[in-house]
Amino acid sequence: MPAVDEIQESEKLFVPRGRHKIEIVKSTTDVSLAPNYTLPEVAFIGTSNVGKSSLIKALFNKVPNIERSRLVRVSSTPGHTKTMNFFQVGQAFSLVDMPGYGINQPQSFVEMVEGYLKNRKNLCKTFVLLDGEAGLSHWDKIAIKMMEEFGRPYVVSSVRFFSLLYANKYEFCTRE
C-alpha cells in the first residue's frame, strides 16, 4: 500500500499548473487518427454506464471550472461515450476514456477497441472497470480475454462497490 506522502505526490499529477496542462487532445473512432504520443498511456474500459467518465472527471477535479468545462462529459445514459477520448496530463502521461461495451455500444466498437489494443505502442496499462454491484458480466469476460489475447497489461477494478457497503452498513458491522 502506498504511503500518504506517495499518494499526495501522485495527486499533483492531476493539478494543472504552469506548463503542466490537463486537456482533451482528440476524440476519434479510428485509432490511426489518434494522437501520436511518446508519452506512456493508460486506458479505462468497461461496460456502458459503469462510471469510466465519472472516474476520469473525479481524477481531474482540480482542473478549474471542471463542472462548466467540456473536458469530461458525464451522462446517466448508457453508451453516451461513442469515441476514444484522449487526454494529455502534462508531459507525464496520456489517458484514454474508451466507449463502453454492452448496452448501446457503438457499432464500430469491436474494430475500434481491437485496433487500439493491437496497435497502441505506448499503452502501458488498461483499467477494466467492473460494476461491483452487478458482478462480472459476459462482456467483462470478453474484455479480459481480449487483454490476455493481445498481451496487454491490465488491472481489473471494481467501481460502485461502496453503495453496497452503505446500503448494508449495519450488516457488515454487526457481530454475532
Side-chain angles (χ1 to χ4, degrees):
M1 184 158 159
V4 172
D5 60 327
E6 292 172 318
I7 293 171
Q8 290 171 338
E9 188 64 30
S10 66
E11 285 177 339
K12 291 178 184 176
L13 286 172
F14 297 100
V15 179
R17 63 198 175 283
R19 296 178 71 195
H20 183 79
K21 295 185 180 355
I22 297 173
E23 56 194 350
I24 188 162
V25 177
K26 182 93 174 195
S27 293
T28 184
T29 58
D30 184 347
V31 74
S32 69
L33 299 176
N36 190 14
Y37 286 125
T38 56
L39 296 173
E41 191 163 88
V42 296
F44 289 88
I45 192 168
T47 57
S48 296
N49 220 33
V50 75
K52 297 174 298 297
S53 298
S54 295
L55 175 60
I56 293 168
K57 186 174 183 177
L59 289 171
F60 294 160
N61 76 347
K62 299 290 187 194
V63 175
N65 302 316
I66 186 72
E67 293 301 323
R68 290 191 313 245
S69 77
R70 309 283 270 152
L71 184 65
V72 183
R73 296 177 63 192
V74 176
S75 172
S76 60
T77 307
H80 185 75
T81 304
K82 300 289 187 193
T83 59
M84 297 177 287
N85 298 311
F86 292 83
F87 300 89
Q88 185 168 338
V89 181
Q91 292 301 310
F93 65 96
S94 63
L95 187 148
V96 183
D97 184 6
M98 301 293 287
Y101 47 78
I103 300 170
N104 295 334
Q105 74 184 28
Q107 280 187 310
S108 61
F109 180 82
V110 173
E111 296 80 16
M112 183 185 344
V113 173
E114 280 188 3
Y116 176 81
L117 292 173
K118 284 181 182 177
N119 300 308
R120 203 67 181 161
K121 293 183 181 4
N122 57 329
L123 177 62
C124 55
K125 189 78 68 181
T126 300
F127 291 86
V128 181
L129 302 182
L130 307 180
D131 185 332
E133 295 174 351
L136 190 65
S137 73
H138 165 75
W139 295 103
D140 295 325
K141 291 175 186 175
I142 291 172
I144 292 167
K145 186 176 179 180
M146 284 176 66
M147 298 299 151
E148 294 286 335
E149 182 180 328
F150 298 133
R152 289 300 192 169
Y154 65 95
V155 172
V156 176
S157 181
S158 181
V159 295
R160 293 190 186 159
F161 180 70
F162 290 108
S163 62
L164 281 177
L165 288 175
Y166 291 127
N168 300 308
K169 68 181 174 182
Y170 297 107
E171 289 179 34
F172 283 103
C173 297
T174 304
R175 293 184 184 206
E176 303 268 336

